Amino acid sequence: MRLKQSKALSLISLATKAGKTVSGEFSTEKETKSGRAELVIVAEDASDNTKKEVFRTCVISMKYQFIFYKDKDTLGHAMGKEFRASLAVLDAGFAKGIKKQIEDERQTMA
């Protein structure tokens, strides 16, 4: 029996296939600093250094939202890669949908 994938992960997968995401610390930071990132997602099991760098980049710019979500393996799998500690969503529509689905998941779990 196959486990149902979350809607947020499905949207991350679709955004990746559409070329609307980048992943990895360097690419995420680059797109955030350039102003193209709409949402930054960081794996909950990312290193403290990665979390600190993403937080610093997002807070300094005062524009970007970021969310801690799932783990590196799950995020990587959703993107069709091995593992990813961070990713940036470059499309406002995808970012809004992903954020809403993550918030809905968290409310259902609470």
Side-chain angles (χ1 to χ4, degrees):
M1 186 168 110
R2 194 183 133 145
L3 293 175
K4 182 180 172 193
Q5 185 177 17
S6 79
K7 290 180 182 180
L9 292 172
S10 294
L11 284 173
I12 291 169
S13 181
L14 281 172
T16 301
K17 289 175 184 166
K20 301 298 180 182
T21 62
V22 296
S23 60
E25 190 174 341
F26 176 76
S27 296
T28 299
E29 183 177 349
K30 178 182 172 192
E31 294 300 335
T32 302
K33 286 181 177 177
S34 76
R36 291 189 56 210
E38 295 289 334
L39 174 67
V40 176
I41 301 172
V42 181
E44 292 172 348
D45 63 346
S47 72
D48 288 340
N49 189 49
T50 297
K51 290 177 182 177
K52 182 175 74 175
E53 285 302 313
V54 170
F55 177 79
R56 184 183 61 78
T57 302
C58 291
V59 169
I60 287 173
S61 67
M62 295 179 67
K63 177 185 174 194
Y64 303 102
Q65 298 181 27
F66 68 96
I67 295 175
F68 294 109
Y69 184 64
K70 299 287 184 186
D71 56 76
K72 294 184 282 192
D73 288 331
T74 303
L75 290 179
H77 181 70
M79 299 184 79
K81 310 209 185 262
E82 270 190 47
F83 62 88
R84 291 294 182 258
S86 63
L87 67 102
V89 181
L90 308 178
D91 178 83
F94 277 121
K96 182 178 178 182
I98 292 166
K99 184 175 184 247
K100 181 186 180 322
Q101 291 303 321
I102 291 172
E103 289 170 352
D104 288 352
E105 282 179 30
R106 289 181 176 163
Q107 285 179 355
T108 334
M109 294 173 74

